[in-house]
């Protein structure tokens, strides 16, 4: 018998669990059943749609709507599924299926295992059974969500986010439970992003480019967009706070960002002030202050040169001359030269001394760090045992919550101590050595650098610049001051030949 257009059929198969999806037999058995059914009914299968249970809600709905569009545009008269819950588990999609059936009396829905054949002219008993199967499917879906919500609430109560962690962390299995800990491969990149954003003239856009160059990628291997980077820099997860479903919870994860650094980033991000001026971008913008009124020196371009002054509102400021940027740069270079040591042996000695100091600190801090980690692991084990006792009915729900809250508070105190001791001394040592090298080359490389790079050199080696009216006073950072003092001592030993 030749099959005509009214026999054209579409099959929808949905995998019922992840295990079955991985093994493949559930999908194969569905298709085998549905193909056999269509062959017996002499229905011509023209297309097969598949939905994995592990697909996201958006992906599932996308496939479902593609199916509805296809059977409507291609004038398909038969839709075959294994059971009602393979087609839909909510009333909204059921209405869409009903609308499709109501538009043409020749259209049929075949729910094979339920022996259900639904169409526009179907008996009321058939439609009643369809509604029953639909209600059971929705009940199953609602129960799954309810149980998931319970699991999420319990996980949040234990201090863990019921979702993949942000970049900088990885998922590990501890006592059979998923937990999150810092990822050594990416935590350094995240820390650098926060610190970089606070540097002069850095924006979300420039940080995004830097993260791309450092190789930070999403789980799908894509580069992060500006909006994603802004979300990273705004995420309190990095300081031990879980933000989930519009609420915040105390987290059990180890923070990887200092709280002061995090809140400084938030302050800069939400002030919304422009950080880059394309037309006028003086080197000393927001970097030098008037010694008389304490106000920042602002700059204006006149005949190709920048001139700066304060607002000149006080009498002591009105008589002061405008300061010229190029002359100020010469003063800065002279100050940078004071950091250059005439003896390479002294620099080598200083570098060695810094390494020895950090090595000594590192040994003691590592012992403290291990002790704190041991205490945290012990609390986690006790918390896990407490949860098992609750499940076994050995303790009441009220007693569990009371003790569990105590464990959370104890973990929070220990995590704070971990932050305070500064366990990541290796990065601090690296930073000191970089600054040491910069101090010896800064006066030489400064004139050849861009405006942004000059500003970065200034902020790394000087803590403040003050305009005195006829000259500029500089204040070195603590580390730069130590270098300068050693240079002076060396100069004195060499008879003032520097």
């Amino acid at each position: 018998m030749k099959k005509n257009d009214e026999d054209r059929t579409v099959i929808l198969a949905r995998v019922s669990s992840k295990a079955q999806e991985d093994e493949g037999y559930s999908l194969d058995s569905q298709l085998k059943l549905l193909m056999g059914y269509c062959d017996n009914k002499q229905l011509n299968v023209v297309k097969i749609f598949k939905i994995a249970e592990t697909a996201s809600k958006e992906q599932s709905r996308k496939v479902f709507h593609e199916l509805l569009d296809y059977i409507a545009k291609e004038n398909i008269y038969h839709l075959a599924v294994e059971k009602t819950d393979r087609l839909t588990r909510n009333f909204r999609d059921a209405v869409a299926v009903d609308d499709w059936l109501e538009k043409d009396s020749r259209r049929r829905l075949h729910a094979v295992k339920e022996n259900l054949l639904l169409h526009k002219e179907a008996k009321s008993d058939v439609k009643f059974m369809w509604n029953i199967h639909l209600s059971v499917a929705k009940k199953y879906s609602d129960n799954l969500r309810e149980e998931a919500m319970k699991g999420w609430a319990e996980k949040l109560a234990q201090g863990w986010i019921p979702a993949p962690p942000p970049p900088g962390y990885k998922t590990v299995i501890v006592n059979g439970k998923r937990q999150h800990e810092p990822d050594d491969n990416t935590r350094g990149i995240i820390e650098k992003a926060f610190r970089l954003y606070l540097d002069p003239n850095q924006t979300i856009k420039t940080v995004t480019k830097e993260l791309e160059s450092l190789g930070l990628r999403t789980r799908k291997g894509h580069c992060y967009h500006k909006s994603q980077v802004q979300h990273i820099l705004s995420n309190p997860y990095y300081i031990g706070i879980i933000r989930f479903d519009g609420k915040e919870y105390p987290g059990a994860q180890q923070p990887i960002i200092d709280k002061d650094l995090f809140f400084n980033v938030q302050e800069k991000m939400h002030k919304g002030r422009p950080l880059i001026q394309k037309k006028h971008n003086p080197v000393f913008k927001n970097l030098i202050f008037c010694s008389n009124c304490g106000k920042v020196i602002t700059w204006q371009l006149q005949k190709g040169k920048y001139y700066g002054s304060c607002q000149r509102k006080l009498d002591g400021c009105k008589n002061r001359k405008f300061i010229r940027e190029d002359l100020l740069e010469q003063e800065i270079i002279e100050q940078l030269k004071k950091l250059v040591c005439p003896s390479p042996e002294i620099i080598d000695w200083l570098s060695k001394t810094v390494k020895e100091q950090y090595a000594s600190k590192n040994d003691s801090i590592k012992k403290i760090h291990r002790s704190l980690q041991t205490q945290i692991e012990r609390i986690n084990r006790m918390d896990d045992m407490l949860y098992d006792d609750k499940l076994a009915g050995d303790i009441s729900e009220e007693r569990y919550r009371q003790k569990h809250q105590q464990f959370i508070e104890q973990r929070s105190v220990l995590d704070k101590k971990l932050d305070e001791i500064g366990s990541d001394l290796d990065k601090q040592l690296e930073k000191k050595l970089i600054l040491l090298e910069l101090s010896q080359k800064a006066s030489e490389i400064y004139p050849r650098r861009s405006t942004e790079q000059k500003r970065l050199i200034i902020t790394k080696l000087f803590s403040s610049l003050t305009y005195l009216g006829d000259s500029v006073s500089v204040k070195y950072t603590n580390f730069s001051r130590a270098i300068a003092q050693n240079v002076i001592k060396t100069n004195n030993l060499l008879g003032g030949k520097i």
Side-chain angles (χ1 to χ4, degrees), residues 13-18 20-21 26-27 30 51-53 86:
R14 185 194 296 265
V15 179
S16 59
S17 70
K18 188 179 189 306
Q20 291 175 336
E21 178 188 353
S26 177
L27 182 59
Q30 280 188 58
I51 298 177
E53 189 74 6
R86 301 299 90 189

Side-chain angles (χ1 to χ4, degrees), residues 246-263:
K247 299 179 180 179
E248 292 187 351
Y249 305 85
Q253 74 276 12
Q254 177 186 341
I256 63 175
I257 299 298
D258 179 75
K259 288 184 179 180
D260 289 338
L261 172 61
F262 179 82
F263 289 117

Side-chain angles (χ1 to χ4, degrees), residues 101-313:
L101 292 172
E102 289 295 321
K103 289 180 180 178
D104 195 320
S105 60
R106 293 171 293 179
R107 295 175 177 177
R108 300 287 189 272
L109 170 63
H110 304 258
V112 177
K113 279 193 174 181
E114 295 164 345
N115 196 26
L116 181 70
L117 182 61
L118 187 67
H119 54 88
K120 182 177 181 179
E121 306 298 335
K123 299 290 187 181
S124 60
D125 288 347
V126 175
K127 294 182 178 180
F128 176 66
M129 290 306 299
W130 156 253
N131 289 328
I132 289 177
H133 290 310
L134 179 61
S135 297
V136 171
K138 188 175 188 306
K139 171 64 169 64
Y140 175 77
S141 178
D142 291 344
N143 185 66
L144 282 180
R145 176 172 176 78
E146 183 178 333
E147 292 302 316
M149 294 285 285
K150 288 181 181 178
W152 293 350
E154 182 58 39
K155 197 163 188 179
L156 287 167
Q158 294 185 22
W160 303 107
I161 185 172
Y169 288 86
K170 62 182 179 181
T171 301
V172 296
I173 305 298
V174 179
N175 297 326
K177 298 179 181 180
R178 291 179 179 269
Q179 297 181 5
H180 305 136
E181 65 180 27
D183 186 349
D184 292 336
N185 295 324
T186 56
R187 66 176 294 175
I189 298 178
I190 298 300
E191 290 173 357
K192 183 172 183 178
F194 274 86
R195 298 188 184 280
L196 180 63
Y197 181 69
L198 288 182
D199 282 342
N201 293 299
Q202 293 296 330
T203 64
I204 298 295
K205 183 177 181 180
T206 59
V207 173
T208 301
K209 290 182 178 179
E210 180 66 17
L211 292 182
E212 181 178 351
S213 68
L214 292 174
L216 188 68
R217 298 292 184 269
T218 66
R219 290 180 178 83
K220 294 184 179 181
H222 303 306
C223 296
Y224 281 89
H225 299 299
K226 281 178 56 179
S227 59
Q228 293 173 307
V229 173
Q230 184 170 8
H231 179 71
I232 289 174
L233 296 177
S234 304
N235 194 345
Y237 191 89
Y238 296 108
I239 59 172
I241 298 174
I242 296 175
R243 184 179 291 159
F244 187 80
D245 198 23
K247 299 179 180 179
E248 292 187 351
Y249 305 85
Q253 74 276 12
Q254 177 186 341
I256 63 175
I257 299 298
D258 179 75
K259 288 184 179 180
D260 289 338
L261 172 61
F262 179 82
F263 289 117
N264 286 338
V265 167
Q266 308 317 302
E267 183 180 2
K268 174 180 175 179
M269 188 182 302
H270 294 100
K271 278 187 176 179
R273 58 179 182 272
L275 297 173
I276 296 180
Q277 293 184 2
K278 295 183 178 180
K279 293 183 179 180
H280 304 296
N281 191 24
V283 173
F284 298 96
K285 174 188 173 185
N286 295 329
L287 292 182
I288 184 169
F289 296 82
C290 175
S291 63
N292 188 58
C293 65
K295 302 295 184 181
V296 68
I297 300 295
T298 57
W299 301 85
Q300 53 183 296
L301 190 63
Q302 297 289 341
K303 297 181 180 181
K305 295 185 183 295
Y306 281 110
Y307 292 84
S309 71
C310 62
Q311 297 178 1
R312 301 165 68 90
K313 292 183 177 180

Side-chain angles (χ1 to χ4, degrees), residues 390-408:
K390 187 194 79 167
L391 293 179
D394 295 336
I395 61 173
S396 65
E397 179 73 22
E398 182 180 356
R399 178 62 175 166
Y400 166 74
R401 293 190 179 280
Q402 181 183 4
K403 292 294 295 181
H404 174 62
Q405 185 60 37
Q406 291 178 7
F407 288 144
I408 291 179

